Amino acid sequence: MLRVMVVDDQALVRRGFALVLDNEPDIEVVAEAGTGVEAIEAARTQQPDVILMDIRMPEMDGLEATARILEAGDTACRVIILTTFDPDEYVFRALRAGASGFVLKDIPPEALVDAVRTVAEGGAMLAPGITQRLISQFAQKLGSERDLAERLQRLTSREREVLTAIAAGKSNAEIAETLFIGAATVKSHVSSLLSKLGLRDRAQAVVFAYECGLATPGEHDVGF
Amino acid sequence: MLRVMVVDDQALVRRGFALVLDNEPDIEVVAEAGTGVEAIEAARTQQPDVILMDIRMPEMDGLEATARILEAGDTACRVIILTTFDPDEYVFRALRAGASGFVLKDIPPEALVDAVRTVAEGGAMLAPGITQRLISQFAQKLGSERDLAERLQRLTSREREVLTAIAAGKSNAEIAETLFIGAATVKSHVSSLLSKLGLRDRAQAVVFAYECGLATPGEHDVGF
DNA sequence: ATCAAAATCCCGCTTTTGGCGGATGTGTGG
DNA sequence: CCACACATCCGCCAAAAGCGGGATTTTGAT
């Protein structure tokens, strides 16, 4: 039995969704909340599997509440964000907060229960337009990486190793140490790869590494 | 009326999908193809709105065919990729090729016609697990930017300008030129910002800029 | 077996970089 | 008015980085 919580500040909307879901044999609405704070508390005590979360709410908005519930970590629940319109700005915050779904409130009832079951099983469900935007962004990013990635292929594997190390902010001496080779050798590799890639210095090499996808944001602790 | 083309090398599978779709009052299957080459030709002559494209095919695989059809550009059609299993590797190629959907063949018939209508309307439809992965990648990318962005605030506006220039691969002399200040001054700013951020050299500064979102992949021409 | 490419090392040389100190203006608040 | 902090500017100097050359060994492919 899927345990579901519905969070919305408008009681009527909340009841509407709850009735639709409770009508399904395998779904049970175990909690309702009208504010973000209530939602956090209820999530802790009721441990629902799936939370339907409205964005616009007084006190604390749905994204903030989502982030806190998921950060707490004592619940293994998954969150579907509900919204009336189609707002670019919220999507990224929502995904960052850890939401597994982002659907518009005018979704047909069957699609809603589908969405609940889907995310409960570990999948994700986004409104079609949002999926489209996500894809565009992704395709664009992969696009620019393509031609640069072939330039990468002109490097030897060792040179790629060195480039990766450079992109991690390492100095020549540090690279020498981690690769168990002499500092002079590192310089050789650096010079060679800079020349092959048409770059001037290691700073440009770092840029190149990020632009071609050899390095990606979110991999490093920038503690250095 | 939605004009749809079905591409699959197995005639039975092809007919199955075609029958399901033709059964819908608003959908018409205007073409079928058994190879990538046939698909390209049929796409040109029949101008379908939506193409259901199998991946595994002899002669030319579905992704290659998709890319060529969409690159041709004389058709405004949208493509849904069909696959039997759930293959990471193909997804990115598919999205890059310009596909608007990626669904498994064991999809329920109603969901398939939903998918066709959705992409015809400009949306996108991915298998739940794929959406999930796309989201994870995205969330990760947006992830660690927050705390680092605070460190950014400790810099003066001038220092942020310099940091941005460094992240664009500029040398001190070039930065001096674009900012209309002396080269020595640039160095001073560089030193100051490195110290404030706890970094050692400009290469690490580039890493920091990318990690905190000051610079993002896909902005630069890496022509330098 | 042989040849080419890659990987490893070394050395001097020039340029760039980064650290340190100091100078100037511009506010802000006592 | 005057410290004080801060941003901006500059010059000097040591260290690191990058360049050109050459040499040896390992590896891979033919």
Short mmCIF file of all heavy atoms in Angstrom, two decimals, chain C residues 9-29:
data_model
loop_
_atom_site.label_atom_id
_atom_site.label_comp_id
_atom_site.label_asym_id
_atom_site.label_seq_id
_atom_site.Cartn_x
_atom_site.Cartn_y
_atom_site.Cartn_z
P DC C 9 59.97 9.74 -14.90
OP1 DC C 9 60.42 8.99 -13.70
OP2 DC C 9 58.82 10.63 -14.82
"O5'" DC C 9 61.21 10.54 -15.47
"C5'" DC C 9 62.52 10.02 -15.33
"C4'" DC C 9 63.48 10.75 -16.24
"O4'" DC C 9 62.86 11.01 -17.50
"C3'" DC C 9 63.94 12.12 -15.77
"O3'" DC C 9 65.08 12.02 -14.95
"C2'" DC C 9 64.25 12.86 -17.08
"C1'" DC C 9 63.69 11.94 -18.16
N1 DC C 9 62.90 12.67 -19.19
C2 DC C 9 63.57 13.21 -20.30
O2 DC C 9 64.79 13.07 -20.38
N3 DC C 9 62.87 13.88 -21.23
C4 DC C 9 61.55 14.01 -21.10
N4 DC C 9 60.89 14.66 -22.05
C5 DC C 9 60.85 13.47 -19.99
C6 DC C 9 61.55 12.82 -19.07
P DC C 10 65.48 13.20 -13.97
OP1 DC C 10 66.35 12.58 -12.96
OP2 DC C 10 64.24 13.89 -13.57
"O5'" DC C 10 66.35 14.23 -14.83
"C5'" DC C 10 67.44 13.74 -15.59
"C4'" DC C 10 67.87 14.77 -16.61
"O4'" DC C 10 66.90 14.84 -17.66
"C3'" DC C 10 67.97 16.20 -16.06
"O3'" DC C 10 69.33 16.55 -15.90
"C2'" DC C 10 67.28 17.07 -17.12
"C1'" DC C 10 67.05 16.10 -18.28
N1 DC C 10 65.81 16.41 -19.04
C2 DC C 10 65.92 17.08 -20.26
O2 DC C 10 67.04 17.40 -20.70
N3 DC C 10 64.79 17.37 -20.94
C4 DC C 10 63.60 17.01 -20.45
N4 DC C 10 62.51 17.31 -21.16
C5 DC C 10 63.47 16.33 -19.22
C6 DC C 10 64.60 16.05 -18.54
P DC C 11 69.77 17.82 -15.08
OP1 DC C 11 71.12 17.53 -14.53
OP2 DC C 11 68.66 18.22 -14.19
"O5'" DC C 11 69.94 18.95 -16.19
"C5'" DC C 11 70.70 18.69 -17.36
"C4'" DC C 11 70.60 19.89 -18.28
"O4'" DC C 11 69.39 19.78 -19.06
"C3'" DC C 11 70.53 21.21 -17.53
"O3'" DC C 11 71.52 22.10 -18.02
"C2'" DC C 11 69.13 21.72 -17.80
"C1'" DC C 11 68.77 21.04 -19.11
N1 DC C 11 67.31 20.83 -19.28
C2 DC C 11 66.68 21.28 -20.44
O2 DC C 11 67.35 21.82 -21.32
N3 DC C 11 65.34 21.09 -20.57
C4 DC C 11 64.65 20.50 -19.59
N4 DC C 11 63.35 20.34 -19.77
C5 DC C 11 65.28 20.04 -18.40
C6 DC C 11 66.60 20.23 -18.28
P DG C 12 72.03 23.19 -16.97
OP1 DG C 12 73.50 23.10 -16.92
OP2 DG C 12 71.23 23.07 -15.71
"O5'" DG C 12 71.63 24.56 -17.68
"C5'" DG C 12 72.25 24.90 -18.92
"C4'" DG C 12 71.23 25.51 -19.84
"O4'" DG C 12 69.98 24.81 -19.72
"C3'" DG C 12 70.93 26.99 -19.55
"O3'" DG C 12 71.28 27.74 -20.69
"C2'" DG C 12 69.43 27.02 -19.26
"C1'" DG C 12 68.94 25.75 -19.94
N9 DG C 12 67.70 25.23 -19.39
C8 DG C 12 67.51 24.63 -18.16
N7 DG C 12 66.28 24.26 -17.95
C5 DG C 12 65.61 24.64 -19.10
C6 DG C 12 64.24 24.51 -19.44
O6 DG C 12 63.33 24.01 -18.78
N1 DG C 12 63.97 25.04 -20.71
C2 DG C 12 64.91 25.62 -21.53
N2 DG C 12 64.48 26.08 -22.70
N3 DG C 12 66.20 25.75 -21.22
C4 DG C 12 66.47 25.24 -20.00
P DC C 13 71.56 29.31 -20.51
OP1 DC C 13 72.59 29.68 -21.50
OP2 DC C 13 71.76 29.60 -19.08
"O5'" DC C 13 70.17 29.94 -20.96
"C5'" DC C 13 69.65 29.64 -22.27
"C4'" DC C 13 68.22 30.12 -22.35
"O4'" DC C 13 67.35 29.16 -21.72
"C3'" DC C 13 67.97 31.46 -21.67
"O3'" DC C 13 67.69 32.46 -22.64
"C2'" DC C 13 66.77 31.21 -20.76
"C1'" DC C 13 66.25 29.86 -21.19
N1 DC C 13 65.68 29.06 -20.08
C2 DC C 13 64.32 28.72 -20.09
O2 DC C 13 63.62 29.09 -21.03
N3 DC C 13 63.82 28.00 -19.06
C4 DC C 13 64.61 27.62 -18.05
N4 DC C 13 64.06 26.90 -17.07
C5 DC C 13 65.98 27.94 -18.02
C6 DC C 13 66.48 28.67 -19.04
P DT C 14 67.32 33.96 -22.09
OP1 DT C 14 67.83 34.91 -23.10
OP2 DT C 14 67.71 34.09 -20.67
"O5'" DT C 14 65.74 33.95 -22.18
"C5'" DT C 14 65.10 33.62 -23.42
"C4'" DT C 14 63.58 33.75 -23.25
"O4'" DT C 14 63.13 32.72 -22.33
"C3'" DT C 14 63.12 35.08 -22.70
"O3'" DT C 14 62.00 35.53 -23.46
"C2'" DT C 14 62.74 34.78 -21.26
"C1'" DT C 14 62.33 33.32 -21.32
N1 DT C 14 62.57 32.56 -20.07
C2 DT C 14 61.56 31.78 -19.54
O2 DT C 14 60.47 31.70 -20.05
N3 DT C 14 61.90 31.12 -18.38
C4 DT C 14 63.11 31.15 -17.72
O4 DT C 14 63.29 30.52 -16.70
C5 DT C 14 64.12 31.98 -18.33
C7 DT C 14 65.48 32.10 -17.70
C6 DT C 14 63.81 32.64 -19.45
P DT C 15 61.31 36.93 -23.09
OP1 DT C 15 60.98 37.61 -24.36
OP2 DT C 15 62.13 37.61 -22.06
"O5'" DT C 15 59.94 36.46 -22.42
"C5'" DT C 15 59.18 35.43 -23.05
"C4'" DT C 15 58.03 35.01 -22.16
"O4'" DT C 15 58.54 34.25 -21.03
"C3'" DT C 15 57.23 36.17 -21.57
"O3'" DT C 15 55.86 35.96 -21.86
"C2'" DT C 15 57.54 36.14 -20.08
"C1'" DT C 15 57.87 34.67 -19.85
N1 DT C 15 58.79 34.39 -18.71
C2 DT C 15 58.41 33.49 -17.74
O2 DT C 15 57.35 32.91 -17.75
N3 DT C 15 59.34 33.30 -16.75
C4 DT C 15 60.58 33.91 -16.64
O4 DT C 15 61.33 33.66 -15.70
C5 DT C 15 60.92 34.83 -17.69
C7 DT C 15 62.23 35.54 -17.67
C6 DT C 15 60.02 35.02 -18.67
P DT C 16 54.75 37.07 -21.42
OP1 DT C 16 53.74 37.16 -22.50
OP2 DT C 16 55.44 38.29 -20.93
"O5'" DT C 16 54.04 36.37 -20.16
"C5'" DT C 16 53.78 34.97 -20.22
"C4'" DT C 16 53.44 34.46 -18.84
"O4'" DT C 16 54.64 34.33 -18.04
"C3'" DT C 16 52.48 35.35 -18.05
"O3'" DT C 16 51.31 34.60 -17.77
"C2'" DT C 16 53.27 35.76 -16.81
"C1'" DT C 16 54.33 34.67 -16.70
N1 DT C 16 55.61 35.09 -16.05
C2 DT C 16 56.08 34.41 -14.94
O2 DT C 16 55.48 33.48 -14.44
N3 DT C 16 57.28 34.86 -14.45
C4 DT C 16 58.04 35.92 -14.94
O4 DT C 16 59.10 36.23 -14.41
C5 DT C 16 57.49 36.58 -16.11
C7 DT C 16 58.23 37.72 -16.71
C6 DT C 16 56.32 36.14 -16.60
P DT C 17 50.12 35.25 -16.98
OP1 DT C 17 48.89 34.55 -17.42
OP2 DT C 17 50.21 36.72 -17.06
"O5'" DT C 17 50.44 34.78 -15.50
"C5'" DT C 17 50.99 33.47 -15.29
"C4'" DT C 17 51.43 33.30 -13.85
"O4'" DT C 17 52.73 33.89 -13.64
"C3'" DT C 17 50.50 33.94 -12.81
"O3'" DT C 17 50.08 32.94 -11.92
"C2'" DT C 17 51.35 35.02 -12.14
"C1'" DT C 17 52.76 34.49 -12.37
N1 DT C 17 53.83 35.53 -12.45
C2 DT C 17 54.92 35.45 -11.60
O2 DT C 17 55.04 34.56 -10.77
N3 DT C 17 55.86 36.44 -11.78
C4 DT C 17 55.81 37.48 -12.69
O4 DT C 17 56.71 38.30 -12.76
C5 DT C 17 54.64 37.51 -13.53
C7 DT C 17 54.48 38.60 -14.56
C6 DT C 17 53.72 36.54 -13.38
P DG C 18 48.83 33.19 -10.95
OP1 DG C 18 48.12 31.91 -10.82
OP2 DG C 18 48.12 34.40 -11.41
"O5'" DG C 18 49.51 33.53 -9.54
"C5'" DG C 18 50.43 32.60 -9.00
"C4'" DG C 18 51.17 33.21 -7.82
"O4'" DG C 18 52.14 34.18 -8.30
"C3'" DG C 18 50.27 33.97 -6.84
"O3'" DG C 18 50.61 33.57 -5.52
"C2'" DG C 18 50.59 35.45 -7.10
"C1'" DG C 18 52.05 35.36 -7.54
N9 DG C 18 52.51 36.46 -8.39
C8 DG C 18 51.81 37.07 -9.40
N7 DG C 18 52.49 38.02 -10.00
C5 DG C 18 53.71 38.02 -9.34
C6 DG C 18 54.86 38.84 -9.53
O6 DG C 18 55.03 39.74 -10.36
N1 DG C 18 55.89 38.51 -8.63
C2 DG C 18 55.81 37.52 -7.67
N2 DG C 18 56.88 37.36 -6.91
N3 DG C 18 54.74 36.76 -7.48
C4 DG C 18 53.74 37.07 -8.34
P DG C 19 49.89 34.22 -4.24
OP1 DG C 19 49.45 33.10 -3.40
OP2 DG C 19 48.94 35.24 -4.70
"O5'" DG C 19 51.09 34.96 -3.47
"C5'" DG C 19 52.31 34.26 -3.25
"C4'" DG C 19 53.29 35.18 -2.55
"O4'" DG C 19 53.82 36.13 -3.51
"C3'" DG C 19 52.66 36.02 -1.43
"O3'" DG C 19 53.58 36.12 -0.34
"C2'" DG C 19 52.43 37.38 -2.06
"C1'" DG C 19 53.58 37.46 -3.08
N9 DG C 19 53.26 38.26 -4.25
C8 DG C 19 52.08 38.26 -4.96
N7 DG C 19 52.08 39.09 -5.97
C5 DG C 19 53.34 39.68 -5.93
C6 DG C 19 53.93 40.66 -6.77
O6 DG C 19 53.44 41.21 -7.75
N1 DG C 19 55.23 40.98 -6.37
C2 DG C 19 55.87 40.43 -5.29
N2 DG C 19 57.10 40.86 -5.05
N3 DG C 19 55.34 39.51 -4.49
C4 DG C 19 54.07 39.18 -4.87
P DC C 20 53.14 36.87 0.99
OP1 DC C 20 53.69 36.08 2.11
OP2 DC C 20 51.69 37.16 0.92
"O5'" DC C 20 53.91 38.26 0.93
"C5'" DC C 20 55.31 38.30 0.65
"C4'" DC C 20 55.77 39.75 0.60
"O4'" DC C 20 55.54 40.28 -0.74
"C3'" DC C 20 55.04 40.68 1.57
"O3'" DC C 20 55.96 41.31 2.44
"C2'" DC C 20 54.29 41.67 0.67
"C1'" DC C 20 55.06 41.60 -0.64
N1 DC C 20 54.21 41.86 -1.83
C2 DC C 20 54.64 42.75 -2.83
O2 DC C 20 55.73 43.32 -2.70
N3 DC C 20 53.85 42.96 -3.90
C4 DC C 20 52.66 42.34 -4.01
N4 DC C 20 51.92 42.58 -5.09
C5 DC C 20 52.21 41.44 -3.01
C6 DC C 20 53.00 41.23 -1.95
P DG C 21 55.49 42.26 3.59
OP1 DG C 21 56.40 42.04 4.72
OP2 DG C 21 54.03 42.07 3.75
"O5'" DG C 21 55.73 43.71 3.00
"C5'" DG C 21 56.98 44.03 2.41
"C4'" DG C 21 56.88 45.35 1.66
"O4'" DG C 21 56.11 45.15 0.45
"C3'" DG C 21 56.17 46.47 2.45
"O3'" DG C 21 57.02 47.59 2.57
"C2'" DG C 21 54.91 46.75 1.65
"C1'" DG C 21 55.29 46.28 0.25
N9 DG C 21 54.14 45.88 -0.56
C8 DG C 21 53.16 44.98 -0.23
N7 DG C 21 52.25 44.83 -1.16
C5 DG C 21 52.65 45.70 -2.17
C6 DG C 21 52.05 45.98 -3.42
O6 DG C 21 51.02 45.50 -3.90
N1 DG C 21 52.78 46.93 -4.14
C2 DG C 21 53.94 47.53 -3.70
N2 DG C 21 54.50 48.41 -4.51
N3 DG C 21 54.51 47.28 -2.52
C4 DG C 21 53.82 46.36 -1.81
P DG C 22 56.54 48.89 3.42
OP1 DG C 22 57.76 49.50 4.00
OP2 DG C 22 55.41 48.48 4.27
"O5'" DG C 22 55.97 49.89 2.29
"C5'" DG C 22 56.74 50.11 1.12
"C4'" DG C 22 55.93 50.90 0.11
"O4'" DG C 22 54.95 50.05 -0.52
"C3'" DG C 22 55.14 52.06 0.73
"O3'" DG C 22 55.29 53.22 -0.08
"C2'" DG C 22 53.70 51.57 0.70
"C1'" DG C 22 53.72 50.73 -0.57
N9 DG C 22 52.64 49.76 -0.66
C8 DG C 22 52.31 48.79 0.26
N7 DG C 22 51.28 48.07 -0.10
C5 DG C 22 50.91 48.60 -1.33
C6 DG C 22 49.85 48.23 -2.20
O6 DG C 22 49.02 47.34 -2.07
N1 DG C 22 49.82 49.04 -3.35
C2 DG C 22 50.71 50.05 -3.60
N2 DG C 22 50.55 50.72 -4.74
N3 DG C 22 51.70 50.41 -2.80
C4 DG C 22 51.74 49.64 -1.68
P DA C 23 55.05 54.68 0.60
OP1 DA C 23 56.31 55.43 0.58
OP2 DA C 23 54.29 54.50 1.87
"O5'" DA C 23 54.05 55.34 -0.45
"C5'" DA C 23 54.38 55.32 -1.84
"C4'" DA C 23 53.10 55.53 -2.63
"O4'" DA C 23 52.33 54.30 -2.62
"C3'" DA C 23 52.20 56.62 -2.03
"O3'" DA C 23 52.10 57.72 -2.94
"C2'" DA C 23 50.85 55.94 -1.83
"C1'" DA C 23 50.97 54.63 -2.60
N9 DA C 23 50.26 53.52 -1.95
C8 DA C 23 50.59 52.90 -0.78
N7 DA C 23 49.76 51.92 -0.45
C5 DA C 23 48.82 51.92 -1.47
C6 DA C 23 47.69 51.14 -1.70
N6 DA C 23 47.28 50.16 -0.89
N1 DA C 23 46.97 51.40 -2.82
C2 DA C 23 47.38 52.39 -3.64
N3 DA C 23 48.43 53.18 -3.53
C4 DA C 23 49.12 52.90 -2.41
P DT C 24 51.47 59.07 -2.40
OP1 DT C 24 52.13 60.17 -3.15
OP2 DT C 24 51.43 59.06 -0.92
"O5'" DT C 24 49.96 59.00 -2.91
"C5'" DT C 24 49.67 58.82 -4.29
"C4'" DT C 24 48.24 58.32 -4.47
"O4'" DT C 24 48.08 57.08 -3.77
"C3'" DT C 24 47.17 59.25 -3.89
"O3'" DT C 24 46.54 59.96 -4.95
"C2'" DT C 24 46.17 58.30 -3.20
"C1'" DT C 24 46.70 56.92 -3.53
N1 DT C 24 46.50 55.92 -2.45
C2 DT C 24 45.46 55.03 -2.55
O2 DT C 24 44.68 55.02 -3.47
N3 DT C 24 45.36 54.14 -1.49
C4 DT C 24 46.19 54.07 -0.38
O4 DT C 24 46.01 53.24 0.50
C5 DT C 24 47.26 55.03 -0.35
C7 DT C 24 48.21 55.06 0.81
C6 DT C 24 47.37 55.91 -1.37
P DG C 25 45.69 61.26 -4.53
OP1 DG C 25 45.61 62.10 -5.74
OP2 DG C 25 46.21 61.83 -3.27
"O5'" DG C 25 44.26 60.63 -4.24
"C5'" DG C 25 43.28 60.62 -5.27
"C4'" DG C 25 42.25 59.53 -5.00
"O4'" DG C 25 42.82 58.51 -4.16
"C3'" DG C 25 40.99 60.03 -4.28
"O3'" DG C 25 39.85 59.74 -5.06
"C2'" DG C 25 40.96 59.25 -2.96
"C1'" DG C 25 41.83 58.03 -3.28
N9 DG C 25 42.47 57.47 -2.10
C8 DG C 25 43.62 57.92 -1.48
N7 DG C 25 43.96 57.21 -0.43
C5 DG C 25 42.98 56.21 -0.36
C6 DG C 25 42.81 55.15 0.57
O6 DG C 25 43.52 54.87 1.54
N1 DG C 25 41.68 54.40 0.27
C2 DG C 25 40.82 54.63 -0.77
N2 DG C 25 39.80 53.80 -0.90
N3 DG C 25 40.96 55.61 -1.65
C4 DG C 25 42.06 56.36 -1.38
P DT C 26 38.50 60.58 -4.75
OP1 DT C 26 38.24 61.39 -5.94
OP2 DT C 26 38.60 61.23 -3.42
"O5'" DT C 26 37.35 59.46 -4.64
"C5'" DT C 26 37.72 58.12 -4.36
"C4'" DT C 26 36.75 57.52 -3.35
"O4'" DT C 26 37.53 56.90 -2.27
"C3'" DT C 26 35.82 58.51 -2.65
"O3'" DT C 26 34.56 57.89 -2.45
"C2'" DT C 26 36.52 58.76 -1.33
"C1'" DT C 26 37.03 57.35 -1.05
N1 DT C 26 38.13 57.27 -0.08
C2 DT C 26 38.16 56.22 0.81
O2 DT C 26 37.31 55.35 0.82
N3 DT C 26 39.22 56.23 1.68
C4 DT C 26 40.24 57.16 1.75
O4 DT C 26 41.14 57.06 2.58
C5 DT C 26 40.15 58.23 0.80
C7 DT C 26 41.19 59.29 0.80
C6 DT C 26 39.11 58.24 -0.06
P DG C 27 33.23 58.82 -2.67
OP1 DG C 27 32.75 58.60 -4.03
OP2 DG C 27 33.54 60.19 -2.18
"O5'" DG C 27 32.18 58.17 -1.66
"C5'" DG C 27 32.27 58.50 -0.30
"C4'" DG C 27 32.50 57.24 0.50
"O4'" DG C 27 33.91 57.13 0.75
"C3'" DG C 27 31.77 57.23 1.84
"O3'" DG C 27 30.85 56.15 1.88
"C2'" DG C 27 32.87 57.07 2.88
"C1'" DG C 27 34.11 56.70 2.07
N9 DG C 27 35.31 57.39 2.55
C8 DG C 27 35.88 58.53 2.04
N7 DG C 27 36.96 58.90 2.67
C5 DG C 27 37.11 57.95 3.66
C6 DG C 27 38.12 57.83 4.66
O6 DG C 27 39.09 58.57 4.86
N1 DG C 27 37.89 56.70 5.45
C2 DG C 27 36.85 55.81 5.32
N2 DG C 27 36.79 54.80 6.17
N3 DG C 27 35.92 55.90 4.38
C4 DG C 27 36.11 57.00 3.60
P DT C 28 29.54 56.41 2.86
OP1 DT C 28 28.39 56.21 1.99
OP2 DT C 28 29.68 57.69 3.61
"O5'" DT C 28 29.64 55.20 3.92
"C5'" DT C 28 30.93 54.67 4.22
"C4'" DT C 28 31.01 54.37 5.71
"O4'" DT C 28 32.28 54.83 6.23
"C3'" DT C 28 29.95 55.06 6.57
"O3'" DT C 28 29.60 54.23 7.66
"C2'" DT C 28 30.65 56.32 7.03
"C1'" DT C 28 32.09 55.82 7.22
N1 DT C 28 33.13 56.86 7.00
C2 DT C 28 34.32 56.77 7.70
O2 DT C 28 34.57 55.89 8.48
N3 DT C 28 35.22 57.78 7.42
C4 DT C 28 35.05 58.85 6.55
O4 DT C 28 35.92 59.69 6.39
C5 DT C 28 33.78 58.87 5.86
C7 DT C 28 33.47 59.97 4.90
C6 DT C 28 32.88 57.90 6.12
P DG C 29 28.40 54.62 8.66
OP1 DG C 29 27.52 53.44 8.73
OP2 DG C 29 27.87 55.93 8.26
"O5'" DG C 29 29.12 54.79 10.07
"C5'" DG C 29 30.16 53.89 10.43
"C4'" DG C 29 30.99 54.47 11.56
"O4'" DG C 29 31.87 55.51 11.04
"C3'" DG C 29 30.15 55.15 12.65
"O3'" DG C 29 30.74 54.90 13.92
"C2'" DG C 29 30.25 56.63 12.30
"C1'" DG C 29 31.67 56.71 11.76
N9 DG C 29 31.89 57.82 10.85
C8 DG C 29 31.01 58.36 9.93
N7 DG C 29 31.52 59.37 9.26
C5 DG C 29 32.81 59.49 9.77
C6 DG C 29 33.84 60.41 9.43
O6 DG C 29 33.81 61.31 8.58
N1 DG C 29 34.99 60.19 10.19
C2 DG C 29 35.12 59.21 11.15
N2 DG C 29 36.29 59.15 11.76
N3 DG C 29 34.17 58.35 11.48
C4 DG C 29 33.05 58.55 10.74
#
